[in-house]
Amino acid sequence: MLTFIARRVASGVVLVVVITVIAFTLLYLGSGNIARTLLGQNASEELVAQKATELGLDRPLYVQFWDWLTSALTGDLGRSWFNGQLVTVQLSSRLSVTLSIVIGSILVTAIVSVVLGVLAARRGRIVDGVVQLVSVIGFAIPGFLIALYLVLIFAVNLGWFKATGYIPFTTSFGGWVASVTLPIIALSIGGVATISQQVRGAVTDDLSRDYVRTLRSRGLSLNQVIYVNVLRNAGGPALALLAVQFIGMIGGAVIVEDIFALPGIGSLTVQATAQGDIPVVMGIVVVSAIIAVIVNLLIDLAQAALNPKVRLS
């Protein structure tokens, strides 16, 4: 098992390094006019050149990358070119907001998908048809439209939740729940539509296998067989899809955070990209890549726990 974990960690580190090199190259190669953007169109060529030197943009790309990398390894991701704040400070203040809604969405997606998938697989055509209809609706309606309707119905008309803004967990638990519930629902619907179909198909397939009939002939109830044996076999592909959904949700959080005015990584990404604040964008890319690697590692470990054959592959 330790060898399995070591291999996964090593491949994750290589992946982060590759993503870092590609992102740095693409971002810094396109930063030619950033000094003029910072100083304004009326700035003289001399001032623009002086600013580029101050930012280190006049040096060869590999030198800039080496300096950035050696600082990053000590936890220093540089400073914003626009407000001078440390990138790590900006990210740490916003990461908790994004992780609140993304982790909440993954938990909701996993629980609701298993419930709907199992119901559709064992309750006959009517329930199956309803679940598939809900899934198609979840696929068809854009997430931002669902978010807008959630705000209109549950925040504006009923007043059950907050329409905009974020209240930290440490300030008020009730306020935190009120501020993240609608974003979590909006972000979960697409994932539920996808993964519930995966669970339904896997459970339906397994229920027709010989081992299920054998277990049933020994007196085990259908619920015992499904929740102890069938879901264990069906869990691997669903977990892999859940990892993909998690990574996609980090990107999808951009729209949700914008609609609900949440101060998370998504809104920071839009702001930094529009300004051309490359150190901040680079920091977001690196942190997102590390989170993706950690999530994939956890999913791999969960799959290995469910199916020992995974450790050998």
Side-chain angles (χ1 to χ4, degrees):
M1 190 65 176
L2 288 177
T3 306
F4 172 80
I5 295 174
R7 283 208 311 264
R8 289 295 187 268
V9 171
S11 63
V13 171
V14 171
L15 181 62
V16 170
V17 171
V18 170
I19 291 174
T20 300
V21 171
I22 294 174
F24 190 93
T25 304
L26 294 176
L27 287 171
Y28 279 81
L29 277 180
S31 63
N33 295 322
I34 194 64
R36 179 164 293 286
T37 303
L38 289 168
L39 296 174
Q41 295 302 317
N42 295 326
S44 66
E45 291 296 333
E46 184 181 2
L47 281 176
V48 171
Q50 186 179 343
K51 188 66 178 177
T53 303
E54 181 185 324
L55 297 175
L57 298 175
D58 58 335
R59 297 173 301 162
L61 190 63
Y62 69 89
V63 176
Q64 295 181 53
F65 178 71
W66 179 253
D67 286 347
W68 179 89
L69 182 63
T70 50
S71 297
L73 290 175
T74 64
D76 180 8
L77 294 173
R79 289 180 179 273
S80 165
W81 285 349
F82 282 80
N83 56 31
Q85 267 193 325
L86 286 170
V87 173
T88 49
V89 171
Q90 292 195 56
L91 292 180
S92 61
S93 64
R94 290 170 175 262
L95 196 58
S96 60
V97 180
T98 300
L99 288 181
S100 289
I101 62 172
V102 172
I103 292 175
S105 299
I106 280 296
L107 292 175
V108 170
T109 299
I111 294 170
V112 176
S113 295
V114 168
V115 171
L116 290 181
V118 171
L119 281 176
R122 59 168 297 188
R123 291 293 184 183
R125 290 185 178 179
I126 295 178
V127 177
D128 188 19
V130 171
V131 171
Q132 293 209 46
L133 179 63
V134 171
S135 298
V136 170
I137 292 173
F139 276 125
I141 301 179
F144 73 90
L145 197 57
I146 293 173
L148 290 175
Y149 274 107
L150 288 174
V151 170
L152 186 64
I153 296 171
F154 295 104
V156 177
N157 290 338
L158 299 176
W160 292 354
F161 303 104
K162 285 177 63 65
T164 57
Y166 177 77
I167 297 176
F169 178 85
T170 51
T171 302
S172 165
F173 177 74
W176 176 77
V177 171
S179 64
V180 301
T181 298
L182 294 183
I184 285 175
I185 294 173
L187 207 54
S188 304
I189 289 178
V192 169
T194 303
I195 297 176
S196 63
Q197 289 301 303
Q198 168 65 39
V199 174
R200 170 193 168 276
V203 172
T204 303
D205 183 51
D206 261 46
L207 285 177
S208 63
R209 295 193 176 185
D210 291 338
Y211 82 90
V212 172
R213 283 190 284 273
T214 304
L215 291 172
R216 291 281 285 152
S217 68
R218 293 178 180 173
L220 272 68
S221 69
L222 186 57
N223 280 337
Q224 284 178 301
V225 174
I226 288 177
Y227 291 106
V228 176
N229 302 94
V230 172
L231 280 181
R232 184 170 183 161
N233 293 333
L239 282 174
L241 265 181
L242 208 57
V244 174
Q245 287 293 327
F246 185 93
I247 296 166
M249 282 178 182
I250 292 178
V254 173
I255 298 173
V256 172
E257 287 177 9
D258 192 41
I259 292 173
F260 291 96
L262 299 174
I265 292 291
S267 54
L268 180 64
T269 304
V270 173
Q271 176 189 331
T273 304
Q275 291 177 330
D277 201 347
I278 291 174
V280 175
V281 177
M282 192 65 204
I284 293 170
V285 170
V286 171
V287 169
S288 300
I290 292 173
I291 291 174
V293 166
I294 292 173
V295 170
N296 274 314
L297 177 62
L298 294 176
I299 293 295
D300 283 344
L301 292 175
Q303 286 181 315
L306 288 173
N307 183 4
K309 291 180 181 176
V310 173
R311 287 175 247 167
L312 302 176
S313 62

